[in-house]
Coordinates of all heavy atoms in Angstrom, one line a residue:
M9 N 20.6 15.9 -29.8 CA 21.0 14.7 -29.0 C 20.3 14.6 -27.7 O 20.1 13.6 -27.2 CB 22.5 14.7 -28.9 CG 23.0 13.5 -28.3 SD 22.7 12.1 -29.4 CE 23.9 10.9 -28.9
E10 N 20.0 15.9 -27.2 CA 19.4 15.9 -25.8 C 18.0 15.3 -25.9 O 17.6 14.6 -25.0 CB 19.3 17.4 -25.4 CG 18.8 17.6 -24.0 CD 19.8 17.1 -23.0 OE1 21.1 17.0 -23.2 OE2 19.4 16.6 -21.9
T11 N 17.2 15.5 -27.0 CA 15.9 15.0 -27.1 C 15.9 13.4 -27.2 O 15.1 12.8 -26.5 CB 15.2 15.5 -28.3 OG1 15.2 17.0 -28.3 CG2 13.8 15.0 -28.5
E12 N 16.9 12.9 -27.8 CA 17.1 11.5 -27.9 C 17.3 10.9 -26.6 O 16.9 9.8 -26.2 CB 18.1 11.1 -28.9 CG 17.8 11.4 -30.3 CD 18.0 12.8 -30.8 OE1 18.6 13.6 -30.0 OE2 17.7 13.1 -31.9
K13 N 18.2 11.5 -25.8 CA 18.5 11.0 -24.4 C 17.2 11.0 -23.6 O 17.0 10.0 -22.8 CB 19.6 11.8 -23.8 CG 21.0 11.6 -24.4 CD 22.0 12.4 -23.5 CE 23.3 12.3 -24.2 NZ 24.4 13.1 -23.5
I14 N 16.5 12.0 -23.6 CA 15.2 12.1 -22.9 C 14.2 11.0 -23.3 O 13.6 10.3 -22.5 CB 14.6 13.5 -23.0 CG1 15.5 14.5 -22.3 CG2 13.2 13.6 -22.4 CD1 15.1 15.9 -22.6
L15 N 14.1 10.8 -24.7 CA 13.3 9.7 -25.1 C 13.7 8.4 -24.6 O 12.8 7.5 -24.2 CB 13.2 9.7 -26.6 CG 12.5 10.9 -27.4 CD1 12.7 10.8 -28.8 CD2 11.0 10.9 -27.0
A16 N 15.0 8.1 -24.6 CA 15.5 6.9 -24.1 C 15.2 6.7 -22.6 O 14.8 5.6 -22.2 CB 17.0 6.7 -24.4
I17 N 15.5 7.7 -21.8 CA 15.2 7.6 -20.3 C 13.8 7.4 -20.1 O 13.4 6.5 -19.2 CB 15.7 8.9 -19.7 CG1 17.2 9.1 -19.7 CG2 15.2 9.0 -18.2 CD1 17.8 10.3 -19.3
I18 N 12.8 8.1 -20.7 CA 11.4 7.8 -20.6 C 11.1 6.4 -20.9 O 10.4 5.8 -20.2 CB 10.7 8.8 -21.5 CG1 10.8 10.2 -20.9 CG2 9.2 8.3 -21.6 CD1 10.2 11.3 -21.8
G19 N 11.7 5.8 -22.0 CA 11.4 4.5 -22.4 C 11.9 3.5 -21.3 O 11.1 2.5 -21.1
Y20 N 13.0 3.7 -20.7 CA 13.5 2.8 -19.8 C 12.7 2.8 -18.5 O 12.4 1.8 -17.9 CB 15.0 3.1 -19.3 CG 16.0 2.6 -20.4 CD1 16.8 3.5 -21.1 CD2 16.1 1.3 -20.8 CE1 17.7 3.2 -22.1 CE2 17.0 0.8 -21.7 CZ 17.8 1.9 -22.3 OH 18.7 1.4 -23.4
I21 N 12.2 4.0 -18.1 CA 11.4 4.1 -17.0 C 10.0 3.4 -17.2 O 9.5 2.7 -16.4 CB 11.2 5.6 -16.6 CG1 12.4 6.2 -16.1 CG2 10.0 5.8 -15.6 CD1 12.4 7.7 -15.9
L22 N 9.5 3.6 -18.4 CA 8.2 2.9 -18.7 C 8.4 1.3 -18.8 O 7.5 0.7 -18.3 CB 7.7 3.4 -20.0 CG 7.1 4.8 -20.0 CD1 6.7 5.2 -21.5 CD2 5.8 4.9 -19.2
A23 N 9.6 0.9 -19.3 CA 9.8 -0.5 -19.4 C 9.9 -1.1 -18.1 O 9.5 -2.3 -17.9 CB 11.0 -0.8 -20.3
I24 N 10.4 -0.4 -17.1 CA 10.6 -1.0 -15.7 C 9.3 -0.9 -15.0 O 8.9 -1.9 -14.3 CB 11.7 -0.3 -15.0 CG1 13.1 -0.6 -15.7 CG2 11.7 -0.7 -13.5 CD1 14.2 0.2 -15.2
L25 N 8.6 0.2 -15.0 CA 7.4 0.3 -14.2 C 6.1 -0.2 -14.8 O 5.3 -0.7 -14.2 CB 7.2 1.9 -13.9 CG 8.2 2.5 -13.1 CD1 7.9 4.1 -12.9 CD2 8.4 1.9 -11.8
F26 N 6.0 0.0 -16.2 CA 4.9 -0.5 -16.9 C 5.4 -1.3 -18.2 O 5.4 -0.7 -19.2 CB 4.0 0.7 -17.3 CG 3.6 1.6 -16.2 CD1 4.2 2.8 -16.0 CD2 2.6 1.2 -15.3 CE1 3.9 3.6 -15.1 CE2 2.3 2.0 -14.3 CZ 2.9 3.3 -14.1
P27 N 5.7 -2.5 -18.0 CA 6.4 -3.2 -19.0 C 5.7 -3.3 -20.4 O 6.4 -3.1 -21.4 CB 6.6 -4.7 -18.5 CG 6.5 -4.5 -17.1 CD 5.6 -3.3 -16.8
L28 N 4.4 -3.5 -20.4 CA 3.7 -3.5 -21.7 C 3.8 -2.2 -22.4 O 4.0 -2.1 -23.6 CB 2.2 -4.0 -21.5 CG 1.4 -4.1 -22.8 CD1 2.0 -5.1 -23.7 CD2 -0.1 -4.4 -22.5
I29 N 3.5 -1.1 -21.7 CA 3.6 0.3 -22.2 C 5.0 0.5 -22.7 O 5.2 1.1 -23.7 CB 3.1 1.3 -21.2 CG1 1.7 1.0 -20.9 CG2 3.4 2.7 -21.7 CD1 1.1 1.9 -19.8
G30 N 6.0 0.1 -22.0 CA 7.4 0.3 -22.3 C 7.7 -0.5 -23.6 O 8.4 0.1 -24.5
V31 N 7.3 -1.7 -23.8 CA 7.5 -2.4 -25.1 C 6.8 -1.7 -26.3 O 7.5 -1.6 -27.2 CB 7.0 -3.9 -25.0 CG1 7.0 -4.5 -26.3 CG2 7.8 -4.7 -24.0
I32 N 5.7 -1.2 -26.0 CA 5.0 -0.5 -27.1 C 5.7 0.8 -27.4 O 5.9 1.2 -28.6 CB 3.5 -0.2 -26.7 CG1 2.7 -1.5 -26.7 CG2 2.8 0.8 -27.7 CD1 1.3 -1.4 -26.0
Y33 N 6.2 1.5 -26.4 CA 7.0 2.8 -26.6 C 8.2 2.4 -27.4 O 8.6 3.2 -28.2 CB 7.2 3.3 -25.2 CG 7.9 4.7 -25.2 CD1 7.3 5.8 -25.4 CD2 9.4 4.7 -25.0 CE1 7.9 7.0 -25.4 CE2 10.0 5.9 -25.1 CZ 9.4 7.1 -25.3 OH 10.0 8.3 -25.2
G34 N 8.9 1.3 -27.0 CA 10.1 0.9 -27.7 C 9.8 0.6 -29.2 O 10.7 1.0 -30.0
L35 N 8.8 -0.1 -29.4 CA 8.5 -0.4 -30.8 C 8.1 0.9 -31.6 O 8.6 1.1 -32.8 CB 7.2 -1.3 -30.9 CG 7.4 -2.7 -30.5 CD1 6.2 -3.5 -30.3 CD2 8.4 -3.5 -31.5
I36 N 7.5 1.9 -31.0 CA 7.1 3.1 -31.7 C 8.5 3.9 -31.9 O 8.7 4.4 -33.0 CB 6.2 4.0 -30.8 CG1 4.8 3.3 -30.8 CG2 6.1 5.4 -31.4 CD1 3.8 4.0 -29.8
L37 N 9.4 3.9 -30.9 CA 10.7 4.6 -31.2 C 11.5 3.9 -32.3 O 12.1 4.6 -33.1 CB 11.5 4.5 -29.8 CG 11.3 5.6 -28.8 CD1 12.2 5.3 -27.6 CD2 11.5 7.0 -29.4
Y38 N 11.5 2.6 -32.2 CA 12.3 1.9 -33.2 C 11.8 2.2 -34.6 O 12.6 2.4 -35.5 CB 12.2 0.3 -32.9 CG 13.1 -0.5 -33.8 CD1 14.4 -0.6 -33.5 CD2 12.6 -1.1 -34.9 CE1 15.3 -1.4 -34.3 CE2 13.4 -1.9 -35.8 CZ 14.8 -2.0 -35.4 OH 15.6 -2.7 -36.2
F39 N 10.5 2.2 -34.9 CA 10.0 2.4 -36.3 C 9.8 3.8 -36.6 O 10.0 4.2 -37.8 CB 8.6 1.6 -36.4 CG 8.9 0.1 -36.4 CD1 8.4 -0.7 -35.4 CD2 9.6 -0.5 -37.5 CE1 8.6 -2.1 -35.4 CE2 9.8 -1.9 -37.5 CZ 9.2 -2.7 -36.5
A40 N 9.5 4.7 -35.6 CA 9.3 6.1 -36.0 C 10.6 6.8 -36.1 O 10.8 7.8 -37.0 CB 8.5 6.8 -34.8
K41 N 11.6 6.5 -35.3 CA 13.0 7.1 -35.4 C 14.1 6.2 -36.0 O 15.1 6.1 -35.5 CB 13.4 7.5 -34.0 CG 12.5 8.6 -33.3 CD 12.9 9.9 -33.8 CE 12.3 11.0 -32.9 NZ 12.8 12.3 -33.1
G42 N 13.6 5.4 -37.0 CA 14.5 4.4 -37.6 C 15.8 4.9 -38.2 O 16.8 4.2 -38.3
D43 N 15.9 6.2 -38.5 CA 17.1 6.8 -39.2 C 18.1 7.1 -38.1 O 19.3 7.2 -38.4 CB 16.7 8.0 -40.0 CG 15.9 9.1 -39.2 OD1 15.4 8.7 -38.1 OD2 16.0 10.2 -39.6
D44 N 17.8 7.3 -36.8 CA 18.8 7.7 -35.8 C 19.3 6.4 -35.2 O 18.5 5.7 -34.4 CB 18.1 8.6 -34.8 CG 19.0 9.2 -33.8 OD1 20.2 8.8 -33.8 OD2 18.6 10.1 -33.1
E45 N 20.5 6.1 -35.3 CA 21.1 4.9 -34.7 C 21.1 4.8 -33.2 O 20.9 3.8 -32.6 CB 22.6 4.7 -35.2 CG 22.6 4.3 -36.6 CD 21.9 2.9 -36.9 OE1 22.0 2.0 -36.1 OE2 21.2 2.9 -37.9
Y46 N 21.3 6.0 -32.5 CA 21.2 6.1 -31.1 C 19.9 5.7 -30.5 O 19.8 4.9 -29.7 CB 21.6 7.5 -30.6 CG 21.5 7.7 -29.1 CD1 22.6 7.4 -28.3 CD2 20.4 8.3 -28.5 CE1 22.6 7.6 -27.0 CE2 20.4 8.4 -27.1 CZ 21.4 8.1 -26.4 OH 21.5 8.2 -25.0
V47 N 18.9 6.3 -31.1 CA 17.5 6.0 -30.7 C 17.1 4.5 -31.0 O 16.5 3.8 -30.2 CB 16.5 6.9 -31.3 CG1 15.0 6.5 -31.0 CG2 16.8 8.3 -30.8
K48 N 17.6 4.0 -32.2 CA 17.2 2.7 -32.6 C 17.9 1.7 -31.6 O 17.3 0.7 -31.2 CB 17.7 2.5 -34.0 CG 17.1 1.4 -34.7 CD 17.5 1.3 -36.2 CE 16.6 0.3 -37.0 NZ 16.9 0.4 -38.4
K49 N 19.1 1.9 -31.3 CA 19.8 1.1 -30.3 C 19.1 1.0 -29.0 O 18.8 -0.1 -28.5 CB 21.3 1.5 -30.1 CG 22.1 0.7 -29.1 CD 23.5 1.2 -29.0 CE 23.4 2.6 -28.1 NZ 24.7 3.0 -27.7
H50 N 18.8 2.1 -28.5 CA 18.1 2.2 -27.2 C 16.7 1.7 -27.3 O 16.2 1.1 -26.2 CB 18.1 3.5 -26.5 CG 19.5 3.9 -26.0 ND1 19.9 3.4 -24.8 CD2 20.5 4.7 -26.5 CE1 21.2 3.8 -24.5 NE2 21.5 4.6 -25.6
A51 N 16.0 1.8 -28.4 CA 14.7 1.2 -28.5 C 14.7 -0.3 -28.4 O 13.9 -0.9 -27.8 CB 14.1 1.6 -29.9
K52 N 15.8 -0.9 -29.0 CA 15.9 -2.4 -28.8 C 16.1 -2.8 -27.4 O 15.5 -3.7 -26.9 CB 17.1 -2.9 -29.6 CG 17.0 -2.8 -31.2 CD 18.2 -3.4 -31.8 CE 18.3 -3.1 -33.3 NZ 19.5 -3.5 -33.8
Y53 N 16.9 -2.0 -26.7 CA 17.2 -2.3 -25.3 C 15.9 -2.1 -24.5 O 15.6 -2.8 -23.5 CB 18.3 -1.5 -24.7 CG 19.6 -1.8 -25.3 CD1 20.6 -0.8 -25.5 CD2 19.9 -3.0 -25.8 CE1 21.8 -1.0 -26.0 CE2 21.2 -3.3 -26.4 CZ 22.2 -2.3 -26.5 OH 23.4 -2.5 -27.1
I54 N 15.1 -1.1 -24.8 CA 13.9 -0.8 -24.0 C 12.9 -1.9 -24.3 O 12.3 -2.4 -23.3 CB 13.3 0.6 -24.6 CG1 14.1 1.8 -24.0 CG2 11.9 0.7 -24.0 CD1 13.8 3.0 -24.7
I55 N 12.8 -2.5 -25.5 CA 11.9 -3.6 -25.7 C 12.4 -4.8 -24.9 O 11.6 -5.5 -24.3 CB 11.9 -3.9 -27.2 CG1 11.2 -2.8 -28.0 CG2 11.2 -5.2 -27.6 CD1 11.4 -2.8 -29.5
I56 N 13.7 -5.1 -24.9 CA 14.2 -6.2 -24.2 C 14.0 -6.1 -22.7 O 13.5 -7.0 -22.0 CB 15.8 -6.4 -24.4 CG1 16.0 -6.8 -25.9 CG2 16.4 -7.3 -23.4 CD1 17.4 -6.7 -26.3
V57 N 14.2 -4.9 -22.1 CA 13.9 -4.6 -20.7 C 12.4 -4.9 -20.4 O 12.1 -5.4 -19.4 CB 14.4 -3.2 -20.2 CG1 13.9 -2.8 -18.9 CG2 15.9 -3.1 -20.3
G58 N 11.6 -4.4 -21.3 CA 10.1 -4.5 -21.0 C 9.7 -6.0 -21.1 O 8.9 -6.4 -20.2
V59 N 10.2 -6.7 -22.0 CA 9.9 -8.2 -22.0 C 10.4 -8.9 -20.8 O 9.7 -9.7 -20.2 CB 10.4 -8.8 -23.3 CG1 10.3 -10.3 -23.3 CG2 9.7 -8.2 -24.5
V60 N 11.6 -8.6 -20.4 CA 12.2 -9.2 -19.2 C 11.4 -8.9 -18.0 O 11.0 -9.7 -17.1 CB 13.7 -8.9 -19.0 CG1 14.2 -9.2 -17.7 CG2 14.5 -9.5 -20.1
M61 N 11.0 -7.6 -17.9 CA 10.2 -7.2 -16.7 C 8.8 -7.9 -16.7 O 8.2 -8.2 -15.7 CB 10.0 -5.7 -16.6 CG 11.3 -5.0 -16.4 SD 12.0 -5.5 -14.8 CE 10.8 -4.8 -13.6
M62 N 8.3 -8.1 -17.9 CA 6.9 -8.8 -18.0 C 7.1 -10.3 -17.5 O 6.3 -10.8 -16.7 CB 6.4 -8.8 -19.4 CG 5.6 -7.6 -19.8 SD 4.8 -7.8 -21.3 CE 5.9 -7.3 -22.5
F63 N 8.2 -11.0 -17.8 CA 8.4 -12.3 -17.4 C 8.6 -12.3 -15.9 O 8.1 -13.2 -15.2 CB 9.6 -12.9 -18.1 CG 9.3 -13.5 -19.5 CD1 10.0 -13.0 -20.6 CD2 8.2 -14.3 -19.7 CE1 9.8 -13.4 -21.9 CE2 8.0 -14.7 -21.0 CZ 8.7 -14.3 -22.0
I64 N 9.4 -11.4 -15.3 CA 9.7 -11.3 -13.9 C 8.3 -11.1 -13.2 O 8.1 -11.7 -12.2 CB 10.7 -10.2 -13.6 CG1 12.1 -10.7 -14.1 CG2 10.7 -9.9 -12.1 CD1 13.1 -9.6 -14.0
S65 N 7.5 -10.2 -13.7 CA 6.3 -9.9 -13.0 C 5.3 -11.1 -13.0 O 4.6 -11.4 -12.1 CB 5.6 -8.6 -13.6 OG 5.2 -8.9 -14.9
V66 N 5.3 -11.8 -14.1 CA 4.5 -13.1 -14.2 C 4.9 -14.1 -13.2 O 4.1 -14.7 -12.5 CB 4.5 -13.6 -15.6 CG1 3.9 -15.0 -15.7 CG2 3.7 -12.7 -16.5
I67 N 6.2 -14.3 -13.1 CA 6.8 -15.2 -12.1 C 6.5 -14.8 -10.7 O 6.1 -15.6 -9.9 CB 8.4 -15.4 -12.4 CG1 8.6 -16.1 -13.7 CG2 9.0 -16.0 -11.3 CD1 10.0 -16.0 -14.1
V68 N 6.7 -13.5 -10.4 CA 6.4 -13.1 -9.0 C 5.0 -13.3 -8.7 O 4.6 -13.7 -7.6 CB 6.9 -11.6 -8.9 CG1 6.4 -11.0 -7.6 CG2 8.4 -11.5 -8.9
V69 N 4.1 -12.8 -9.6 CA 2.6 -13.0 -9.3 C 2.3 -14.5 -9.1 O 1.5 -14.8 -8.3 CB 1.8 -12.4 -10.4 CG1 0.4 -12.7 -10.4 CG2 1.9 -10.8 -10.3
S70 N 2.9 -15.3 -10.0 CA 2.5 -16.8 -9.9 C 3.0 -17.3 -8.5 O 2.3 -18.0 -7.9 CB 3.2 -17.5 -11.0 OG 2.8 -17.1 -12.3
I71 N 4.2 -16.9 -8.1 CA 4.7 -17.4 -6.8 C 3.9 -16.9 -5.7 O 3.5 -17.6 -4.8 CB 6.2 -17.0 -6.6 CG1 7.1 -17.8 -7.6 CG2 6.6 -17.2 -5.1 CD1 8.5 -17.3 -7.7
L72 N 3.5 -15.6 -5.7 CA 2.6 -15.0 -4.7 C 1.3 -15.7 -4.6 O 0.7 -16.0 -3.6 CB 2.6 -13.5 -4.8 CG 3.8 -12.8 -4.5 CD1 3.6 -11.2 -4.8 CD2 4.2 -12.9 -3.0
G73 N 0.8 -15.9 -5.8 CA -0.5 -16.6 -5.9 C -0.5 -18.0 -5.3 O -1.5 -18.3 -4.6
V74 N 0.5 -18.8 -5.6 CA 0.5 -20.1 -5.1 C 0.9 -20.0 -3.6 O 0.2 -20.8 -2.8 CB 1.7 -20.9 -5.7 CG1 2.1 -22.1 -5.0 CG2 1.4 -21.1 -7.2
S75 N 1.6 -19.0 -3.2 CA 1.9 -18.8 -1.7 C 0.6 -18.5 -1.0 O 0.3 -19.0 0.2 CB 2.9 -17.8 -1.5 OG 3.0 -17.5 -0.1
M76 N -0.3 -17.7 -1.6 CA -1.5 -17.3 -0.9 C -2.5 -18.4 -0.9 O -3.2 -18.5 0.1 CB -2.1 -16.1 -1.7 CG -1.2 -14.8 -1.6 SD -1.0 -14.3 0.1 CE -2.1 -13.0 0.2
L77 N -2.5 -19.2 -1.9 CA -3.4 -20.4 -1.9 C -2.9 -21.4 -0.8 O -3.7 -22.0 -0.2 CB -3.4 -21.1 -3.2 CG -4.1 -20.4 -4.4 CD1 -3.9 -21.1 -5.8 CD2 -5.6 -20.3 -4.1
G78 N -1.7 -21.5 -0.6 CA -1.2 -22.4 0.4 C -1.5 -21.9 1.8 O -1.9 -22.7 2.7
M79 N -1.5 -20.6 1.9 CA -1.8 -20.0 3.2 C -3.3 -20.2 3.5 O -3.7 -20.4 4.7 CB -1.4 -18.6 3.3 CG 0.1 -18.4 3.3 SD 0.6 -16.7 3.1 CE 0.4 -16.1 4.7
A80 N -4.1 -20.0 2.5 CA -5.6 -20.2 2.6 C -6.0 -21.6 3.1 O -6.9 -21.9 3.8 CB -6.3 -19.7 1.4
A81 N -5.2 -22.6 2.4 CA -5.5 -23.9 2.7 C -5.2 -24.3 4.1 O -5.7 -25.3 4.7 CB -4.8 -24.9 1.7
M82 N -4.1 -23.7 4.7 CA -3.7 -24.0 6.0 C -4.6 -23.5 7.1 O -4.7 -24.0 8.2 CB -2.3 -23.5 6.2 CG -1.2 -24.1 5.3 SD 0.4 -23.4 5.4 CE 0.8 -23.8 7.1
S83 N -5.4 -22.5 6.8 CA -6.3 -21.9 7.8 C -7.6 -22.5 7.8 O -8.1 -23.4 7.2 CB -6.4 -20.4 7.6 OG -6.9 -20.0 6.3

């Protein structure tokens, strides 16, 4: 059970810091450890967190990009 907890923690960290890698890690966990319900449950959550973080990062980058364009036009 200890190994499964470590795998889940690593997945959440990757999903938050590197969303695409986190989603891929979650998919690998989901299909490779499909017999373990604990890992399968957390793999789904890791994938969800990764996708949400990707959307958030796209929104933030879009807002900052538009903001920077506006600032360049003003100068």
Side-chain angles (χ1 to χ4, degrees):
M9 189 64 161
E10 188 68 28
T11 304
E12 288 83 5
K13 287 182 181 179
I14 293 171
L15 290 174
I17 291 170
I18 290 171
Y20 286 115
I21 291 171
L22 286 173
I24 291 170
L25 297 178
F26 308 103
L28 181 60
I29 296 172
V31 169
I32 294 169
Y33 183 84
L35 289 169
I36 291 170
L37 275 182
Y38 187 80
F39 290 112
K41 296 273 191 172
D43 55 339
D44 189 354
E45 287 300 317
Y46 178 83
V47 174
K48 200 169 187 176
K49 175 181 76 170
H50 283 284
K52 288 180 193 176
Y53 295 150
I54 290 167
I55 294 167
I56 291 169
V57 169
V59 169
V60 168
M61 291 302 293
M62 276 194 269
F63 282 126
I64 290 173
S65 64
V66 166
I67 290 169
V68 168
V69 168
S70 297
I71 290 171
L72 288 176
V74 169
S75 173
M76 297 299 256
L77 286 174
M79 293 170 80
M82 293 172 69
S83 57

